[in-house]
Amino acid sequence: MTPLIFEMMTQCTRRIPTSTEDGLFGHHVTYTDGDTFQAAIYKQPGQSGRRVSDHEQTEAERPDLEEVYIVVVPAGTPLHFYEVFRRDSDGAIFRALGDVRDTEAPAMSTVQIAKTTAERWDEEWSPQQQP
């Protein structure tokens, strides 16, 4: 019998960033498709994402994160901090807010999963593109 979490997983595609100089002392970031992996992605209830990024940005720089998502992947799936990926079923783009290596189930566990949080992400806007 397969645990329900594996039944909830859907195909996702890594988005690989490429940064090029824009000629005005800034950078333009474009994304291309990378490899695919399976993940269950669901909205975290009753949690404001503001707390997730408080340590890294000032109030003016901080994006308005009202939606935080839980991302669950099979153990051994690499998904790193700030990695961008697309849920193929609906085209939604997410950015990981942690590293799944920090939460992998121990080898003795019967359910081999790892999880992290993620935010919705807009590939057209990223901090690297700001002057």
Side-chain angles (χ1 to χ4, degrees), residues 3-127:
L4 179 61
I5 195 70
F6 289 109
E7 297 296 325
M8 295 173 58
M9 290 186 180
T10 184
Q11 182 171 301
C12 295
T13 302
R14 289 180 209 286
R15 301 291 289 156
I16 310 300
T18 302
S19 179
T20 56
E21 292 184 24
D22 65 4
L24 300 172
F25 304 106
H27 295 278
H28 180 70
V29 179
T30 57
Y31 291 86
T32 56
D33 286 349
D35 64 323
T36 61
F37 62 97
Q38 295 291 309
I41 303 168
Y42 56 95
K43 188 174 176 181
Q44 185 171 342
Q47 179 90 3
S48 171
R50 266 199 184 290
R51 287 183 235 128
V52 173
S53 60
D54 280 346
H55 68 280
E56 66 190 38
Q57 296 171 327
T58 67
E59 188 67 31
E61 296 171 324
R62 189 174 303 120
D64 186 18
L65 300 176
E66 291 302 320
E67 296 182 346
V68 175
Y69 294 81
I70 301 294
V71 179
V72 180
V73 297
T77 302
L79 185 59
H80 306 292
F81 183 66
Y82 277 6
E83 189 166 4
V84 177
F85 59 96
R86 178 184 67 230
R87 182 171 51 199
D88 293 346
S89 62
D90 63 359
I93 304 291
F94 299 91
R95 182 173 76 159
L97 297 174
D99 192 316
V100 296
R101 292 177 295 185
D102 297 334
T103 62
E104 277 191 342
M108 68 185 83
S109 174
T110 58
V111 181
Q112 288 294 298
I113 60 172
K115 71 175 187 169
T116 189
T117 55
E119 63 183 338
R120 291 296 287 258
W121 186 248
D122 182 358
E123 290 182 349
E124 298 301 315
W125 181 92
S126 83

